[in-house]
Amino acid sequence: MRTLVLGGYGNFGARICRALAGDPTIDLLAGGRNRDQAQRLVDTLDGTASAAAVDFTAPDFAQTLRQLDVGLVVHAAGPFQRQSYAVAHAAAEAGAHYIDLADGRRFVCDFPAALHQRFQTIGRVGITGASTVPALSSAVVEHLCAGWAAIDSIDICIAPAQTAPRGKATLAAVLSYCGEPIRIWRGGKWVEAPGWAKPERVDFLRMRPRIGALCDIPDLELFPSHYAVRDGVMFRAALEVGFTQRAFAVLASLRGRGLLKRPERWAGLLNRTAVVFDFLGTSLGGMVVRVEGLDGRGRPARRAWHIAADYDHGPEIPCMPAILLARKLAAGSAMPAGAFTATGLLKLAEFQGEFARWKMVSDIVDEAVSSPSEPMPDATAA
């Protein structure tokens, strides 16, 4: 299957290209506006690949896909928070499958309704959110809660390594909702709480505790109904250096008071200065997913899945779902036609090979059941 990776020489696209280049079922094209950069990436790959100069914003992009005989588009040219579905529409028009790494809440949550009929009509698959969330996070939840009678709460935290590669575009995306009210499922109802404000302690198995703050991701909207969560769903990001985490909280406070209109304009400066604090951090990052509810016998249960990624390998994790799904499509695995979020499309066991490849260590721990959670501070009914 000829597979075009858009943003193929970018932070995530290059990682996907390295993983797919050696696959005998894939004819890989590393694509982007700059063919020279794409070629430089191709020259470093172990497997077979070609460079392609493509502009996905061009009005004739669908025609370009047809001319290149592309069977699958992997869209890694984020961030997706302010993108339209133009690339997915172009893929459908060209008769190709589509996968993206989006984690923008509206982009992912609204994708099926906008594109399902179109992909179903042409007998192709369109998948959004093939990244850490909701693809990996849902695989973990389903593994932890297999056979349970009910899920009361899901609590997820991502903890990037301080020295891991950063990007201005990614930082601008997360700053865009810093201090903005985020709609979350808490206490069995929808409430609002400010993004990146009031960080709280999060415990990890193989890392020191960090302080994490609320981030706006698709899981917050998808999981309550998909898994019939009775009490709450929470997602936090926990930066390694406490000072930088608190700096985000300050920005959130300023925006909440109307003193800072667009925090994302600070993305360039923060991205450049973040390296100053690298000596305070490490190359170790990770993630934890905690679930609480009733097991198959109706008894209270609480389980946690941890993963630790050292050597600055953490950014490989967001690429894994797209890699796994691309391989499945190229191998001819049966998948229903239509447009879907990546929720529940992969099993946790399917990730194990990729985890081992990057020397990542995961653990599942049965924890003591906590007392009922108290309402989130500053949360208001929504």
Side-chain angles (χ1 to χ4, degrees), residues 17 30 36 86 91 97 115 121 136 181 186 188 198 213 216 231-232 249 265 285 333 357:
C17 286
D36 290 340
H97 298 293
L115 288 147
T121 299
L136 173 58
R186 182 67 178 244
K198 300 185 181 300
D216 196 18
D231 181 55
R265 291 186 296 182
S333 297
R357 177 185 177 191

Side-chain angles (χ1 to χ4, degrees), residues 200-269:
E200 301 174 356
R201 174 182 167 124
V202 180
D203 292 317
F204 301 87
L205 189 63
R206 297 176 183 266
M207 302 190 301
R208 292 181 298 177
R210 298 190 186 182
I211 54 173
L214 172 65
C215 291
D216 196 18
I217 62 157
D219 300 26
L220 294 173
E221 185 168 331
L222 296 173
F223 284 13
S225 59
H226 190 84
Y227 296 113
V229 181
R230 300 193 297 186
D231 181 55
V233 176
M234 174 55 66
F235 180 92
R236 298 180 179 90
L239 306 180
E240 186 171 10
V241 178
F243 172 80
T244 56
Q245 187 83 50
R246 292 185 177 90
F248 272 67
V250 170
L251 292 176
S253 177
L254 291 174
R255 186 174 194 174
R257 298 176 185 177
L259 301 176
L260 183 63
K261 298 295 185 183
R262 295 181 58 199
E264 59 268 31
R265 291 186 296 182
W266 293 74
L269 176 62

Side-chain angles (χ1 to χ4, degrees), residues 237-305:
L239 306 180
E240 186 171 10
V241 178
F243 172 80
T244 56
Q245 187 83 50
R246 292 185 177 90
F248 272 67
V250 170
L251 292 176
S253 177
L254 291 174
R255 186 174 194 174
R257 298 176 185 177
L259 301 176
L260 183 63
K261 298 295 185 183
R262 295 181 58 199
E264 59 268 31
R265 291 186 296 182
W266 293 74
L269 176 62
L270 291 174
N271 189 50
R272 291 191 299 270
T273 57
V275 68
V276 174
F277 301 101
D278 281 0
F279 76 98
L280 296 173
T282 68
S283 62
L284 178 63
M287 177 179 177
V288 61
V289 178
R290 285 188 169 89
V291 294
E292 196 163 342
L294 300 177
D295 66 16
R297 296 183 180 181
R299 299 171 302 188
R302 178 175 172 170
R303 306 186 81 194
W305 175 86

